[in-house]
Amino acid sequence: MFSFALELIRYSMGKIIALANQKGGVGKTTTTINLAASLAALEKKVLVVDADPQANASSGLGVDIRNVELSIYECLVNGEDASGAITQTEVEGLDIIPSHIDLVGAEIEMLNLENRERILKQILTPLKEKYDFILIDCSPSLGLITVNALTAADSVIIPVQCEYFALEGISKLLNTIKIIKSKLNPALEIEGFLLTMYDSRLRLANQIYEEVKRPFRDLVFTTVIQRNVKLSEASSYGKPVLLYDADSKGSINHMQLAQEIVEKNSSLTLAYSHRLSYKCSILKMIHVARIVTGATNKAASRYLESMAEKCISNRIYNARNADTSTASASYNPRRNTLIAFCVSILLFIFSFDIVVFSLLFPVMYTRFYPHYPIIPFAPLPPPRAFGHINLFLLFI
Ligand code: ADP
Ligand code: MG
């Protein structure tokens, strides 16, 4: 029960997504800026964390990087409070923790710090409840700051440029993710591979899409970001493309991507809410069984609960790995409630008390328990009668 509650809390908080690829110029920063703005346009509260010393995400979102007083560098190295470094952008609902060129030296300065791979996680965890999405723009390296980003993140987006040798170096990144997953952050998932700078006129672009799709299948975003000069222009004006040219291909593609991510994550939340309803149904059954059979054996009921837990964990695991349509099919709350109802009816039939109740109910109510606030069902001592009140409540 407790772990289940924790999971629910985890999913009701913001999600940290790192954008990583040790190759430069693949579109990490462009995606971070424009995905963040599009998520904000979908009324999500978004924070961009610029973890690249080049500070392109900061300047691309209109921050004057020469006049930044508090950047991610001071938070990482001097332990400054991150909320002081948060800067508002021109887009409503979109904030940024800017970067600074000093970040180049941060990796060496952090070497002596305790728990040096988890510093960014400690900085961002308190901010998770304020934001729906926190996007970390990583630098083109797999150094300590990128390791910090992947340790802090719930998932990672891997932008892949549509060009020859698109997947070159990916195995190294995947290996790093694997090591971080096993040593530092077991919950890290791949949010998706994103194809960027896609040029539909070139046959090569399609071939590359197929090449990425073959090994990574469902992990490849349906949305591809097409090559569009407005994206570069907008960045040079310090704006996301949504504010620069809302009708451009670049703008539309990033809105589609934001929608895909929101849907993907809400279907997961949906799966959890279905899980909750499924769990309720099973617990209801156990509850009914306990009341009707009069089972008071705690060990037995704990066993039943653990069976329910296991059954549900398997389901959620399958749902996460299947596509969303299967996920919702296996979490049909109506079906679960129906199962609970049928089992309860069976238990009803086998229960002597209930037979007595159904035959004698009108007489008993008035004769035996006129002082009870809720209808008692059988001439039994009060604790049993309370059990029946429970039972009654389950069916209304
Ligand atoms: P990274 O952060 O991975 O180094 P950037 O996002 O900075 O990559 O992109 C590198 C260059 O490519 C930038 O000049 C950017 O404007 C340009 N660029 C990125 N995505 C696109 C796109 N879809 N269409 C056209 N130009 C793009
Ligand atoms: Mg960049």
Side-chain angles (χ1 to χ4, degrees):
M1 276 297 268
F2 186 62
S3 66
F4 174 66
L6 277 183
E7 275 174 62
L8 265 185
I9 291 168
R10 192 165 92 88
Y11 278 90
S12 60
M13 294 210 300
K15 185 167 192 181
I16 303 181
I17 305 178
L19 285 98
N21 188 339
Q22 77 277 24
K23 249 192 192 184
V26 295
K28 292 182 290 292
T29 305
T30 309
T31 309
T32 308
I33 295 171
N34 294 295
L35 172 62
S38 304
L39 285 168
L42 293 176
E43 300 193 338
K44 302 289 170 196
K45 217 49 204 99
V46 189
L47 175 71
V48 165
V49 178
D50 191 350
D52 183 355
Q54 292 179 58
N56 291 340
S58 309
S59 54
L61 279 171
V63 176
D64 180 359
I65 51 174
R66 285 159 305 176
N67 293 324
V68 170
E69 281 174 14
L70 205 55
S71 71
I72 191 71
Y73 168 78
E74 286 81 10
C75 301
L76 286 169
V77 176
N78 305 336
E80 295 283 348
D81 184 15
S83 44
I86 294 175
T87 311
Q88 283 184 348
T89 69
E90 216 183 323
V91 183
E92 204 188 319
L94 172 56
D95 297 339
I96 181 168
I97 298 184
S99 179
H100 195 273
I101 186 67
D102 288 349
L103 196 63
V104 181
E107 301 209 343
I108 294 173
E109 292 174 65
M110 283 159 73
L111 281 179
N112 293 328
L113 299 179
E114 215 177 292
N115 257 336
R116 56 177 184 260
E117 298 89 0
R118 294 194 170 87
I119 301 172
L120 191 59
K121 187 183 174 83
Q122 282 157 10
I123 293 172
L124 297 183
T125 304
L127 300 176
K128 269 179 116 175
E129 54 195 57
K130 288 193 198 153
Y131 292 95
D132 298 309
F133 290 97
I134 298 178
L135 305 184
I136 311 173
D137 182 27
C138 296
S139 64
S141 87
L142 292 175
L144 186 54
I145 294 181
T146 303
V147 170
N148 259 272
L150 293 173
T151 306
D154 296 305
S155 68
V156 52
I157 292 179
I158 304 173
V160 177
Q161 186 182 348
C162 277
E163 52 151 25
Y164 278 116
F165 311 119
L167 291 178
E168 195 187 49
I170 288 288
S171 60
K172 200 155 188 206
L173 175 62
L174 293 179
N175 202 32
T176 308
I177 292 174
K178 204 166 136 194
I179 294 169
I180 289 176
K181 222 169 136 70
S182 68
K183 300 246 157 49
L184 295 162
N185 181 9
L188 181 65
E189 285 174 355
I190 293 179
E191 189 75 35
F193 289 83
L194 175 70
L195 281 143
T196 61
M197 299 182 227
Y198 182 92
D199 193 336
S200 51
R201 291 167 303 176
L202 300 179
R203 258 199 26 225
L204 170 74
N206 283 322
Q207 281 170 10
I208 289 164
Y209 185 82
E210 293 307 320
E211 193 188 319
V212 179
K213 191 86 184 160
R214 212 174 305 125
F216 301 117
R217 298 162 188 237
D218 291 346
L219 286 178
V220 184
F221 283 111
T222 319
T223 308
V224 292
I225 307 295
Q226 286 164 285
R227 188 172 279 282
N228 182 221
V229 70
K230 300 282 179 193
L231 286 165
S232 326
E233 282 174 25
S235 291
S236 65
Y237 284 101
K239 283 176 192 290
V241 71
L242 204 59
L243 295 188
Y244 179 72
D245 186 347
D247 295 329
S248 63
K249 257 192 291 178
S251 177
I252 294 167
N253 287 165
H254 283 94
M255 275 310 288
Q256 282 167 341
L257 177 64
Q259 246 146 6
E260 194 177 336
I261 289 175
V262 168
E263 268 164 34
K264 193 172 167 189
N265 285 287
S266 59
S267 72
L268 197 64
T269 322
L270 199 73
Y272 270 84
S273 66
H274 283 304
R275 180 185 175 180
L276 181 66
S277 102
Y278 187 74
K279 179 145 191 153
C280 286
S281 312
I282 292 186
L283 288 179
K284 260 188 194 178
M285 282 191 255
I286 295 168
H287 193 52
V288 172
R290 242 188 254 160
I291 296 163
V292 176
T293 58
T296 48
N297 187 334
K298 276 195 181 156
S301 42
R302 227 179 281 136
Y303 175 74
L304 278 171
E305 272 191 35
S306 76
M307 290 284 286
E309 281 274 357
K310 256 192 208 156
C311 167
I312 292 158
S313 318
N314 287 343
R315 278 178 167 251
I316 194 71
Y317 179 80
N318 293 339
R320 270 178 180 213
N321 291 302
D323 63 27
T324 46
S325 54
T326 9
S328 24
S330 59
Y331 286 94
N332 183 344
R334 261 199 222 156
R335 197 195 60 189
N336 298 332
T337 318
L338 193 71
I339 295 172
F341 186 75
C342 294
V343 171
S344 320
I345 292 285
L346 281 175
L347 291 167
F348 248 85
I349 294 166
F350 289 109
S351 160
F352 172 71
D353 290 352
I354 301 302
V355 176
V356 173
F357 147 69
S358 49
L359 295 175
L360 302 177
F361 162 66
V363 187
M364 276 163 202
Y365 177 51
T366 44
R367 287 192 109 193
F368 293 96
Y369 296 101
H371 52 284
Y372 272 93
I374 305 174
I375 306 164
F377 305 132
L380 293 165
R384 280 289 265 198
F386 274 116
H388 289 117
I389 290 166
N390 262 337
L391 190 62
F392 175 73
L393 288 175
L394 279 170
F395 282 88
I396 52 173

